[in-house]
Every structure is written in structure tokens, then in C-alpha cells.
Amino acid sequence: MAPTLNMANTAWMLVSCVLVLFMTLPGLALFYAGLVRAKNVLSVLMQCFAITCVVSLAWIVVGYSMAFGDGGSQNAWWGGLAKSFMAGIDARTVKGSIPETVFAMFQLTFAIITPALVIGAYAERVKFSGMLLFSLLWLLLVYVPIAHWVWGDGWLQKMGVMDFAGGLVVHLNAGVAALVCALVLGRRRGFPDTAMPPHNMTMCVAGACMLWVGWFGFNAGSALTADGAAGMAMLVTHIGAATGATVWMVCEWARYGKPSMLGIVTGMVAGLGTITPASGFVGPLGALAIGGTAGLVCFTATNYMKRVLGVDDSLDVFPVHGVGGLIGTLLTGVFAATQFGGMGYGEGMDMGKQMLVQVIGVLAIAAWSGILSFVLLKLVDAITGMRVGGDQETEGLDTVLHNEQGYNL
């Protein structure tokens, strides 16, 4: 039976494309830009904008084909090159119940935000040329294969891994890459002795609010339909965000005596990232448990990395997205169970078997992302260099790299 276009599904997916792109531009761009120092605000905005442009072009040329094409005998690993330059796709081509153009655009918005998340790990100390080359290579050699394995009928999808909207593909993947970047590139000049507070919390909060709103397209859009599944995904997404933010706020309040705006928005992002893989598989009870766990565990991980280990992941990408994606993926295997209000497991699966598959998915993707990210960093560093000089870092990347200033007061 030939795929049939559903106009309601198509309308919802068009909206979801806009919402997920809105997460990067302007959401993540403003969120990250507010968190850095004033002398680097434009560099972060420029990085997010440029990644959006370069990833879009790479996606059209080969990225979509490699991620969602049919790789034939090698389809377990990649999708081949048959759909390069969107070959064979026109206004009448249908994927499921929506136009394939819309499906390709929706997946493009995920491909944009994932390398954009990684820049938070090395903010304030990386060359623009090195960042751009690394992001392009990372997209094609790390993100695209993983997207195919999990969502493109690859080996992990065949195994039955549960990742509804990107706990593995986006958050764990970006988080592990971010940790590798932070370790390989080293600390910012003056870290941890010099205070480096966010220069504009108003900008940061505005961006965080946009992320919360855009995330409904991220998770509910991943249903690819306008039905009860999308509705439940939207509900549990909101519950995860609210619970993660509340728990983080309480943890901070109890430990430091005062709740901060930075803390509550970071808890919200942690809750959203952690509910992402589970959003199509769990009910409200599971969302409360997963969001609460995210707030507690990601809060602890963030403080431990910065204060105990001294790792300079500038904007806490690994402890929020990496750890969140990890625990969300594992807890999906638990709270998808019908006794917790979840949607249940696939044929022949139970909680034990599903947890094993989830663990395999986590280990495989963490290893692929970590090893390839390390190799690509070394390669790009040899070609263009990755870090700016110490004096340039002190002066600020806005002036040094872009000959501009964020503020002329």
C-alpha cells in the first residue's frame, strides 16, 4: 500500500520544524550568549548562526542521504548516497504520512542543534575557523551515522532501542563530544581562580524560555503525527521541564541558601534533555520521576565537575545534556512499563531485555562519539588550530575574530 499524505499530520510537522529551528535560532544562541562574558557574546551568536548555515548545506548535499537513505546491504551502518542533493525527492514524495521534504527539514533542525550544543563546552577560547571545520566533520562522521543507527533503520533501531526524540542521538552524543572538547582543549585562561559569571542573565533567561517552548516541537513533533501520542509527548515534556527546574532550585536553595535564576533555567534544560528519549514511551508518572531525577543528578554532576574535578566545560554541556541523555535513556527502559503508566515494550521485550538494549545503545554511542570527537579535534587542530592565543583570549573573541563588539556603550 502506497504512503498516503495526511494534511493534519503535515500541518503539525510544519509547525514542529519551525519550533525546533527556533530552539537554535534564537533560543540556544541567546541562552549561550548570555552565559559567557560580554567580550565573547557575539562569538557565540556567530557560532550558532554559522553552524545553522553550514549544517543546512551539508545536510542537503549528503547528510540526509547518509542518515535516512537506504544503504542496501550496508543499511545497518549508513544510508548510502542515493539521496545526495535530495535526489528523487519532490513536492509529491511522501515519507510515512507527511511530505518527505517536511521530514527532511524536521530532521535537519535536529542536525543543526546537536553540534550547536557542543560549542558550549569550548566557548570563549576556540578559533572560529577550527570550530566551523570541526562542527562540519563532526556532523558527517559522528551525528549522521548515529542518527541512522537509531532512527534510520540501522542496527540499534533493529535491536529495539528506545530513543523517541534524541536522548542518544542528540543529548548523550553532544554531551560526550563536549566532555572530550573540554578535556582536549583545556581550561580557559584564569579558570578556576578568576570569576567568570554570565554577563547577561536577562538574555540567558529569554533564550531558555524559547528552548522550553521550542522543545514541544522537538519531542511532540517526533511522533510525526497529530494524535494522542503527540499530545502525551507534549504533556510529559512539560512535566519533565517543570520537575527538573523545581528540583534543581530546591537543591541549590538547600545547599547554598539562595535559589538562583541560573539554577532554575539550567534545571529546566536538564529536565527537558532527560525526558527527551522517553517522551513517546512514558506517562505522567514516569515524567515526574525522570524530571526529578534529572534535577538532582545533573545538579550534582555539574557541581562535581566544576568544583571537584576542575573540568572547564564552559556552559556545563556534559553534566546537563550528557548525563541527562544517559539517565533519561536508561530510565526509559524502566518507565515505559505499563505498570508505571507507560506505553509498554515491543514484541518479545520486557524490562530486563529493554534495559540491556538501552545500555548497549548508551555504550555504543558514547564510544563512537568520544573516540571520533577526539580524532577530529586532533585533526582540525593540525589543520587550522583550535584554540586562540592567550592574549587573544584575554582580549575577547568578538574583537579578535570578528572585529566587532556586542555592546558599544
Side-chain angles (χ1 to χ4, degrees), residues 22-36 41 44-46 48-49 198-211 315 407:
F22 183 68
M23 290 174 67
T24 304
L25 298 176
L28 185 71
L30 291 176
F31 181 63
Y32 275 1
L35 289 172
V36 298
V41 57
V44 172
L45 294 171
M46 179 71 170
C48 287
F49 205 100
H199 91 281
N200 190 330
M201 275 305 301
T202 305
M203 180 185 292
C204 173
V205 174
C209 295
M210 294 170 188
L211 284 171
L315 309 183
Y407 307 98

Side-chain angles (χ1 to χ4, degrees), residues 88-392:
I89 300 172
D90 59 31
R92 295 164 295 179
T93 312
V94 177
K95 178 91 168 179
S97 63
I98 62 175
E100 189 164 6
T101 51
V102 177
F103 177 78
M105 180 67 199
F106 181 66
Q107 292 297 340
L108 168 57
T109 60
F110 281 68
I112 287 168
I113 199 169
T114 309
L117 287 172
V118 179
I119 68 174
Y122 50 62
E124 301 195 294
R125 59 195 186 276
V126 72
K127 288 183 178 179
F128 181 71
S129 56
M131 177 282 307
L132 209 55
L133 180 58
F134 172 76
S135 297
L136 175 61
L137 294 175
W138 190 87
L139 170 85
L140 296 175
L141 298 177
V142 180
Y143 178 84
V144 162
I146 288 175
H148 182 77
W149 298 349
V150 178
W151 293 334
D153 207 26
W155 69 276
L156 280 172
Q157 188 171 21
K158 293 286 191 186
M159 191 179 287
V161 74
M162 285 181 158
D163 182 11
F164 192 72
L168 292 170
V169 179
V170 177
H171 298 287
L172 178 66
N173 187 12
V176 170
L179 177 61
V180 172
C181 287
L183 293 172
V184 171
L185 295 179
R187 301 172 174 182
R188 285 169 290 178
R189 199 175 193 184
F191 181 93
D193 301 319
T194 303
M196 300 178 185
H199 91 281
N200 190 330
M201 275 305 301
T202 305
M203 180 185 292
C204 173
V205 174
C209 295
M210 294 170 188
L211 284 171
W212 191 337
V213 172
W215 224 291
F216 294 126
F218 201 81
N219 288 0
S222 291
L224 302 179
T225 56
D227 61 5
M232 180 60 81
M234 180 175 282
L235 175 62
V236 299
T237 296
H238 189 72
I239 293 170
T243 310
T246 303
V247 170
W248 190 299
M249 177 184 71
V250 170
C251 289
E252 192 175 55
W253 207 338
R255 182 164 181 177
Y256 301 114
K258 294 179 181 179
S260 73
M261 189 72 241
L262 177 58
I264 198 170
V265 298
T266 307
M268 173 215 77
V269 175
L272 286 167
T274 306
I275 194 63
T276 289
S279 54
F281 305 118
V282 304
L285 179 64
L288 286 167
I290 291 171
T293 303
L296 177 62
V297 175
C298 295
F299 171 80
T300 304
T302 299
N303 282 279
Y304 185 75
M305 276 193 66
K306 277 277 200 296
R307 298 169 187 272
V308 179
L309 299 180
V311 176
D312 188 16
D313 178 346
S314 305
L315 309 183
D316 302 320
V317 184
F318 176 75
V320 173
H321 295 277
V323 173
L326 167 66
I327 61 177
T329 299
L330 297 179
L331 291 178
T332 299
V334 176
F335 289 100
T338 53
Q339 59 262 41
F340 296 122
M343 308 305 152
Y345 303 107
E347 186 177 347
M349 300 293 282
D350 56 28
M351 188 181 294
K353 292 178 181 177
Q354 190 63 55
M355 284 299 295
L356 178 60
V357 173
Q358 299 300 96
V359 169
I360 291 171
V362 165
L363 293 176
I365 284 166
W368 184 264
S369 181
I371 294 169
L372 265 290
S373 297
F374 178 82
V375 171
L376 290 176
L377 281 170
K378 292 297 185 180
L379 176 64
V380 173
D381 191 45
I383 296 172
T384 66
M386 282 295 294
R387 279 201 70 152
V388 297
D391 292 340
Q392 293 176 315

